[in-house]
Amino acid sequence: MRPRSDGWGAHDRQGSFSVGKTRTRAVPKGSEPMWTHPLTIAFVAVGSSLLTIFLTPWLHHHFWRYQARDELRLAAIKEFNRLTADFIAGVLFDRMSYSPNKEWFAALNTAGGEIQVLFSKEAFMAVQAVDKMIRPGLGPLGNKSTDEFVEARDAALRALYREVIPLPR
């Protein structure tokens, strides 16, 4: 059989393939490599099943731990934000006589403890900068204004949120 003039070659009746002037048999019948041996298939199936059985719960637990930690972190941030917003509102509406009660200080101390445990030292230092501006019976410390307190609070919130959710700088 003559090769096709378009360069693609041609097949003859015996399964040979001709390209140009050479004739080659693609794969001799019965000589295919037997990599799909039934035992090989069984080992791959059992191996992948065992890998799935043992790896899936471990991966699930691994990612669940990160999710649970982030939920605790977000709850601590929300409580810190709520407490500082209450303080700012109290100072803005009654600067001379506003004094947070002991329950508020206990809640702030609890939030600070959670933040210290759940966040990095740098984030905790930002929260401590806000905490140093608040004293029982004094409101904002001495010569600090409400705007300076808000700026310190916003810097602390950015530091906290940056550890949970990547924020633009």
Side-chain angles (χ1 to χ4, degrees):
M1 177 173 248
R2 300 186 71 202
R4 292 172 51 178
S5 61
D6 61 2
W8 284 96
H11 289 279
D12 63 8
R13 290 189 185 142
Q14 288 88 24
S16 295
F17 183 72
S18 70
V19 177
K21 295 183 179 178
T22 22
R23 291 185 80 111
T24 59
R25 180 137 174 104
V27 176
K29 192 169 186 172
S31 68
E32 297 92 18
M34 191 74 170
W35 67 270
T36 57
H37 191 275
L39 195 55
T40 305
I41 294 171
F43 280 141
V44 169
V46 169
S48 62
S49 296
L50 289 174
L51 188 65
T52 301
I53 288 169
F54 291 112
L55 190 61
T56 300
W58 180 82
L59 280 173
H60 185 272
H61 178 70
H62 175 76
F63 290 118
W64 173 83
R65 281 189 354 220
Y66 284 108
Q67 180 183 2
R69 184 194 63 191
D70 286 346
E71 286 173 0
L72 289 172
R73 284 176 161 189
L74 289 171
I77 294 171
K78 184 176 181 180
E79 181 64 9
F80 174 74
N81 192 23
R82 185 189 68 78
L83 291 167
T84 55
D86 287 348
F87 181 76
I88 292 168
V91 169
L92 286 176
F93 288 117
D94 193 12
R95 185 174 179 89
M96 294 303 159
S97 64
Y98 176 73
S99 178
N101 59 22
K102 65 180 180 176
E103 290 82 16
W104 185 89
F105 279 105
L108 183 65
N109 191 27
T110 302
E114 289 175 354
I115 289 170
Q116 184 177 11
V117 170
L118 294 171
F119 291 91
S120 69
K121 190 171 192 91
E122 293 81 21
F124 181 63
M125 297 294 279
V127 171
Q128 277 188 324
V130 173
D131 194 38
K132 288 178 183 176
M133 297 174 113
I134 302 169
R135 295 288 178 250
L138 296 177
L141 187 62
N143 59 358
K144 301 290 184 184
S145 70
T146 307
D147 290 335
E148 291 172 313
F149 180 82
V150 169
E151 288 174 13
R153 190 264 326 250
D154 290 346
L157 286 174
R158 275 192 301 278
L160 293 171
Y161 275 118
R162 192 173 292 123
E163 291 192 16
V164 181
I165 303 165
L167 296 175
R169 294 213 175 237

